[in-house]
Coordinates of all heavy atoms in Angstrom, one line a residue:
P83 N 2.8 12.0 70.8 CA 2.2 12.2 69.4 C 1.6 10.8 69.0 O 2.3 9.8 69.1 CB 3.3 12.6 68.5 CG 4.6 12.7 69.3 CD 4.2 12.2 70.7
L84 N 0.3 10.8 68.6 CA -0.3 9.5 68.2 C -0.8 9.6 66.8 O -1.3 10.7 66.4 CB -1.5 9.3 69.1 CG -1.2 9.1 70.6 CD1 -2.5 8.8 71.4 CD2 -0.3 7.9 70.8
G85 N -0.7 8.6 66.1 CA -1.3 8.4 64.8 C -2.6 7.8 65.0 O -2.7 6.5 65.1
L86 N -3.7 8.6 65.1 CA -5.0 8.0 65.4 C -5.5 7.1 64.3 O -5.3 7.3 63.1 CB -6.1 9.2 65.5 CG -5.9 10.1 66.7 CD1 -6.9 11.2 66.6 CD2 -5.9 9.4 68.0
D87 N -6.1 6.0 64.7 CA -6.7 5.1 63.7 C -8.0 5.6 63.2 O -8.4 5.5 62.1 CB -7.0 3.7 64.4 CG -5.7 3.0 64.8 OD1 -4.7 3.2 64.2 OD2 -5.8 2.1 65.7
N88 N -8.7 6.4 64.2 CA -10.0 6.9 63.8 C -10.4 8.0 64.8 O -9.9 8.0 66.0 CB -11.1 5.9 63.8 CG -12.4 6.3 63.1 OD1 -12.4 7.3 62.4 ND2 -13.5 5.6 63.3
C89 N -11.2 9.0 64.4 CA -11.7 10.0 65.3 C -13.0 10.4 64.7 O -13.2 10.7 63.5 CB -10.8 11.2 65.3 SG -11.4 12.5 66.4
R90 N -14.0 10.4 65.6 CA -15.4 10.7 65.1 C -16.0 11.8 66.1 O -15.9 11.6 67.3 CB -16.3 9.5 65.1 CG -17.7 9.7 64.6 CD -18.4 8.4 64.3 NE -19.6 8.7 63.7 CZ -20.8 8.6 64.3 NH1 -20.9 8.1 65.5 NH2 -21.9 8.9 63.6
V91 N -16.6 12.8 65.5 CA -17.2 13.9 66.4 C -18.6 13.9 65.9 O -18.9 14.0 64.7 CB -16.5 15.2 66.1 CG1 -17.2 16.3 66.9 CG2 -15.0 15.2 66.6
T92 N -19.5 13.9 66.9 CA -21.0 14.0 66.6 C -21.5 15.2 67.4 O -21.0 15.5 68.5 CB -21.8 12.8 66.9 OG1 -21.6 12.5 68.3 CG2 -21.3 11.6 66.1
I93 N -22.5 15.8 66.9 CA -23.2 17.0 67.6 C -24.7 16.7 67.5 O -25.2 16.6 66.4 CB -22.8 18.3 66.9 CG1 -21.3 18.5 67.0 CG2 -23.5 19.5 67.7 CD1 -20.8 19.7 66.2
E94 N -25.3 16.7 68.7 CA -26.8 16.4 68.8 C -27.4 17.5 69.7 O -26.8 17.9 70.7 CB -27.0 15.0 69.4 CG -26.4 13.9 68.6 CD -27.1 13.7 67.2 OE1 -28.3 14.0 67.1 OE2 -26.4 13.2 66.3
P95 N -28.7 17.8 69.4 CA -29.4 18.7 70.3 C -29.6 18.1 71.7 O -29.7 16.9 71.8 CB -30.8 18.9 69.7 CG -30.6 18.5 68.3 CD -29.5 17.5 68.2
D96 N -29.5 18.9 72.8 CA -29.7 18.5 74.1 C -30.7 19.4 74.8 O -30.3 20.4 75.3 CB -28.4 18.4 74.9 CG -28.6 17.8 76.3 OD1 -29.3 16.8 76.4 OD2 -27.9 18.4 77.2
G97 N -32.0 19.1 74.7 CA -33.0 19.9 75.2 C -33.3 21.2 74.4 O -32.8 21.2 73.2
P98 N -33.9 22.2 74.9 CA -34.3 23.3 74.1 C -33.3 24.4 73.9 O -33.4 25.3 73.1 CB -35.5 23.9 74.9 CG -35.1 23.6 76.3 CD -34.5 22.2 76.3
D99 N -32.1 24.2 74.6 CA -31.1 25.3 74.5 C -29.7 24.9 74.3 O -28.8 25.8 74.4 CB -31.3 26.3 75.7 CG -30.9 25.6 77.0 OD1 -30.8 24.3 77.0 OD2 -30.8 26.3 78.0
A100 N -29.4 23.6 74.2 CA -28.0 23.2 74.2 C -27.7 22.1 73.2 O -28.7 21.5 72.6 CB -27.6 22.7 75.6
V101 N -26.5 21.8 72.9 CA -26.0 20.7 72.1 C -25.0 19.9 72.9 O -24.3 20.4 73.7 CB -25.4 21.1 70.7 CG1 -26.5 21.8 69.9 CG2 -24.2 22.0 70.9
L102 N -24.9 18.6 72.6 CA -23.9 17.7 73.1 C -22.9 17.4 72.0 O -23.4 17.0 70.9 CB -24.5 16.4 73.7 CG -25.3 16.5 75.0 CD1 -25.9 15.2 75.3 CD2 -24.4 17.1 76.1
I103 N -21.7 17.5 72.3 CA -20.6 17.1 71.3 C -19.9 15.9 71.9 O -19.5 15.9 73.1 CB -19.6 18.2 71.2 CG1 -20.3 19.5 70.7 CG2 -18.4 17.8 70.3 CD1 -19.4 20.7 70.9
E104 N -19.8 14.8 71.1 CA -19.1 13.6 71.6 C -17.9 13.4 70.6 O -18.1 13.5 69.4 CB -20.0 12.4 71.6 CG -20.7 12.3 72.9 CD -21.3 10.9 73.2 OE1 -20.9 9.9 72.5 OE2 -22.1 10.8 74.1
C105 N -16.8 13.1 71.1 CA -15.6 12.8 70.3 C -15.1 11.4 70.8 O -14.9 11.2 71.9 CB -14.5 13.9 70.6 SG -13.0 13.5 69.6
T106 N -15.0 10.5 69.8 CA -14.5 9.2 70.0 C -13.2 9.1 69.3 O -13.1 9.2 68.1 CB -15.5 8.1 69.5 OG1 -16.7 8.3 70.1 CG2 -15.0 6.7 69.8
A107 N -12.1 8.8 70.0 CA -10.8 8.7 69.4 C -10.3 7.2 69.6 O -10.5 6.6 70.7 CB -9.8 9.6 70.1
T108 N -9.7 6.7 68.6 CA -9.2 5.3 68.6 C -7.8 5.2 68.1 O -7.5 5.9 67.1 CB -10.1 4.4 67.7 OG1 -11.5 4.6 68.0 CG2 -9.8 3.0 67.7

Side-chain angles (χ1 to χ4, degrees):
L84 298 178
L86 295 178
D87 295 337
N88 195 12
C89 182
R90 182 166 188 253
V91 175
T92 60
I93 303 172
E94 300 291 334
D96 184 41
D99 65 349
V101 294
L102 289 178
I103 301 163
E104 276 196 15
C105 179
T106 303
T108 306

